[in-house]
Amino acid sequence: MALPLSLEFFPPKTPEGASRLRAARQQLYALAPEFCSVTYGAGGSTQAGTFATVQEILAEGVAAASHFSCIGATRAGVRAQLAQLKAMGVKRLVALRGDLPSGYGMGGEFQYASDLVAFIRAETGRDFRIEVAAYPEMHPQARSPEADLKAFAAKVQAGADSAITQYFFNADAYFRFVDEVRAAGLELPVVPGIMPILGATQLLRFSDACGAEVPRWLRLRLQGFGDDVASIRAFGLDVVARLCERLVAGGAPALHFYTMNQGAPTLELCRRLGLGQA
């Protein structure tokens, strides 16, 4: 299956985590990813770790995309960070509004991700390929599906090149979203974000927090395995592999894997799918 794929990591918080991530990346590079992205904490709280991890990936000879959030940011600060990323050799950004750190007011000079995209384009022209987020099951803070689509369109019209979705387990949600994007006259690629199932409790808690729907049948099956992690992972591999097969058959332009800084789950999933060189 010749399909582009990309991988997402988060900046490690400890030296041990950094070592584990380096080992996982070396495993995953066998998949020949188009690029690897690195996430950004609430309010830019992991910026140093994000940029350091991006620098490592670039030094390993792989294209790297930095997440870049704008909540609480100033134009001067963003301008300086863009110059830093450009000097590092970064060619791709994932532009996000981002989450506020707990206890903080809105602040900053950017209200929406579309404001950030427009600013990056105005400041740097075509120096960066800009990815934006998409929510097939609606952003958890959106007032309605119509408002959510309007917000997405604003990011595209501001200069986004392509979109990566929040993870989901219902392929119909993705296909419906793409249909609505096309009906709105937006032609950019919408790449599905894929979350390997590594465990039940954390996945269900995280999904509830970020608005990703876990279908009732899947939730009950996962809970039914109790603490049997091996069975959860084997079952999850089947579920996510079938999801990916359906997405690819339906015309998804690429797949973006949320690796959770682990190599084996994404490698096994890609082997099942015949993706990459693994």
Side-chain angles (χ1 to χ4, degrees), residues 91-155:
K91 306 286 188 191
R92 188 185 301 248
L93 301 175
V94 182
L96 307 163
R97 189 195 71 174
D99 300 320
L100 277 172
S102 178
Y104 281 73
M106 191 76 168
E109 298 179 30
F110 300 88
Q111 189 170 3
Y112 301 111
S114 55
D115 300 331
L116 176 62
V117 174
F119 183 78
I120 294 170
R121 279 284 173 251
E123 289 288 314
T124 65
R126 302 298 306 181
D127 288 346
F128 297 103
R129 179 179 176 89
I130 301 177
E131 311 274 352
V132 292
Y135 298 86
E137 295 169 325
M138 199 172 86
H139 190 286
Q141 294 171 352
R143 296 187 309 278
S144 67
E146 293 77 19
D148 196 42
L149 184 63
K150 187 174 179 182
F152 179 74
K155 293 189 285 191

Side-chain angles (χ1 to χ4, degrees), residues 50-76:
T50 297
F51 285 14
T53 305
V54 165
Q55 187 83 68
E56 283 195 26
I57 293 168
L58 290 169
E60 290 160 353
V62 176
S66 178
H67 281 219
F68 203 104
S69 64
C70 63
I71 282 288
T74 64
R75 286 176 172 79

Side-chain angles (χ1 to χ4, degrees), residues 200 220-236:
L220 293 173
R221 286 293 300 276
L222 290 172
Q223 290 171 335
F225 288 116
D227 296 327
D228 186 352
V229 175
S231 293
I232 289 171
R233 289 196 173 194
F235 170 70

Side-chain angles (χ1 to χ4, degrees), residues 1-3 171-172 174-175 192 194 240-255 273 275:
M1 190 188 297
L3 190 78
D172 289 335
Y174 169 79
F175 292 126
I194 306 299
V240 178
R242 283 198 298 269
L243 171 66
C244 291
E245 286 165 354
R246 192 168 167 213
L247 292 169
V248 173
L255 296 174
L273 296 166
L275 275 173

